[in-house]
Amino acid sequence: ARVLRPFLRLKEKNGWKNWEDWPPSEKSPSENSYKSLFAENKERLQYYQLIQFLCYQQLSQVKETAQSK
C-alpha cells in the first residue's frame, strides 16, 4: 500500500501518462526524492490511502456476499 500511493501521486503529477514517459528522476526516484514526495504531498497521499481503504472495504463486502450465495 505504501508503494501505490506515491506511484499514483507521480502518475497524477505527470498527467496520468505511462510511467515510461515520466522524467528519469521520477521513474526511479532516489531515497531523498521519495522522502520529499511524502513530505510535500502528505494530504494527497492521505487521500489515496483513504481511497485504497474504501476499495478494500467494498471488495471485502463483495467477496463476503459472493461466498454466502
Side-chain angles (χ1 to χ4, degrees), residues 12-46:
E12 179 183 41
K13 181 180 172 191
N14 285 288
W16 299 99
K17 295 178 190 170
N18 186 310
W19 72 270
E20 294 173 332
D21 297 328
W22 297 357
S25 63
E26 292 182 357
K27 283 184 196 180
S28 184
S30 67
E31 186 175 339
N32 285 338
S33 295
Y34 195 74
K35 287 178 182 178
S36 293
L37 178 70
F38 271 89
E40 295 167 7
N41 295 278
K42 185 177 180 178
E43 190 172 302
R44 196 66 180 158
L45 292 170
Q46 287 174 337

